[in-house]
Every structure is written in C-alpha cells, then in structure tokens.
Amino acid sequence: MTTPDGSWLTALVDGVVGLMDLIGAPGAGIGIALENLFPPLPSEVILPMAGLAASRGAFTIAEAIAWTTAGAVVGAFLLYGLGAWLGLDRLRSIAARVPLLHPEDIDKTVAWFSRHGGKAVFFGRMIPIFRSLISIPAGVTRMPLWRFGLLSAAGSLVWNTVFVLCGFFLGEAWPVIEQYTDILQYVVIAAAVAAVAWFVIARVRGLWAQRRRAAPAE
C-alpha cells in the first residue's frame, strides 16, 4: 500500500524498516505483530522490505519468514485474548447499548464462527484487515488455543512467504506488486463498507416498518 511522503503512516513504516536495520529479522517480526494490532500498518510493505533486507544479506530468507510468521501469531494471540476478555455476555451487553445493534446480532456472529471458524481463521490470515479482526471472535468462542495457533501460523506462513519472496527476488523492483495488493485492499474495504451500508439500511427499514405497524395502536 503506497502512502504519501511525509505522512504519519509513511513515518510508521520507516520506523519499522529502521527496526529491521537495527536488530535484524526480529524487527520484521515486531513490525508484523504491530500490523496485526494496528491494521493500517501495511504488511504488504513490511514483508517485501524484509525480503529485500534478506537479499542484501542482513539476515537469511528463512529467518525473515520465521520471524514474520512468529510476529503474526503473537499479534493474533493478543487479539484472541481481547476477544476472550470481552466474552459473549459483555459483547451482548455492548450491542444492546449501540444504536441499530441487537444482542442477537452477536449470537448470529458467534454461531457463524462456530460453524466456519477453522476456515475463517486460516483464510482470514490472507485477507487485509480481516486477518486482524478474525482473532476476536476466535477468542470470544474460546477456540482451542492449539487449533487457533496452528491455523493462524499456517495462514500467516502462506501470506508472509509470498510477500517476503517477492521482496527477495524482485529486490528494488518490489513495488511493482503494490498495485495488485492495493486492488485487493480496496476490494476488501469496499466489500466491508457495502456490508455495513446494507446492514444499516436493512435495520433502519425494519425499525420504520415496526413503527408503522405500531402506529394504529397508539
């Protein structure tokens, strides 16, 4: 994901790259852990930079992949812990206080995750933004730690390996892949916005219909 020069996000990415220069492959792992907790920090930039550093001999390609995957798993477990701390009852209580949300919405989400949680965690690790959010319902439902960790590691390994290798083999030309990752990111954001808009419209229409049905009885 390209960011304008001088922006706060560019400065943040530069800081992560500087961390790699300072402490090597563990710096890349820390950067990916932070990316999980703060999705605007783009792994699509950090990972190729780790591959580029490996191509220059700063550390090996195996170290780059291992540390970035470890960082992804650590970040995933931290968000899992957040979901476990919130819990179903607390989330239902929060939903009851948020306009247009109902506790039943949380129940439906949890039921969906209970049916598809394994696939959601594995494939979710390869989808921008979603790879962070998916850890929260995993924590809410208390997916077994070993299963969550294994699926998170496997999905992250696939994603990280692709982008680290791009940086390693493309070298200074790695930004050519950014246009494709940008498209993926925009598609995900557009789909999320469309889903939220559909939910709000459907919920508002439902409320209006309830009021219209209740009007003659008043």
Side-chain angles (χ1 to χ4, degrees):
M1 180 171 59
T2 303
T3 56
D5 292 338
S7 73
W8 60 271
L9 189 52
T10 298
L12 195 56
V13 171
D14 289 343
V16 172
V17 173
L19 194 60
M20 278 190 275
D21 292 336
L22 183 64
I23 63 175
I30 293 172
I32 293 301
L34 292 175
E35 179 268 337
N36 277 259
L37 301 175
F38 188 60
L41 187 61
S43 67
E44 296 89 341
V45 171
I46 299 171
L47 293 170
M49 290 301 294
L52 178 60
S55 72
R56 293 172 174 172
F59 39 81
T60 68
I61 189 70
E63 288 175 317
I65 294 173
W67 276 101
T68 54
T69 300
V73 173
V74 169
F77 268 115
L78 290 174
L79 290 174
Y80 177 101
L82 174 62
W85 174 76
L86 287 171
L88 180 59
D89 292 339
R90 187 170 293 172
L91 282 177
R92 294 182 87 256
S93 178
I94 293 172
R97 295 183 176 89
V98 176
L100 302 180
L101 282 182
H102 302 311
E104 293 77 14
D105 297 325
I106 302 299
D107 295 336
K108 291 177 182 177
T109 301
V110 169
W112 176 87
F113 189 85
S114 296
R115 293 193 303 270
H116 308 289
K119 293 182 293 234
V121 170
F122 176 75
F123 290 107
R125 300 302 302 170
M126 306 174 211
I127 302 175
I129 301 175
F130 192 71
R131 62 173 162 264
S132 296
L133 298 179
I134 196 59
S135 300
I136 296 177
V140 172
T141 60
R142 300 299 178 97
M143 175 182 279
L145 291 174
W146 68 267
R147 186 166 184 248
F148 175 75
L150 183 62
L151 290 168
S152 296
S156 298
L157 179 62
V158 173
W159 176 266
N160 294 353
T161 298
V162 169
F163 282 91
V164 169
L165 289 178
C166 283
F168 184 83
F169 289 112
L170 291 176
E172 299 293 344
W174 72 263
V176 299
I177 67 171
E178 282 188 307
Q179 57 183 319
Y180 301 107
T181 59
D182 282 346
I183 291 173
L184 175 60
Q185 183 118 333
Y186 294 147
V187 168
V188 172
I189 292 173
V193 170
V196 171
W198 176 86
F199 174 82
V200 171
I201 292 171
R203 188 55 54 86
V204 169
R205 290 179 64 182
L207 291 174
W208 273 107
Q210 290 179 2
R211 291 181 180 179
R212 291 176 64 181
R213 288 194 297 266
E218 294 179 353

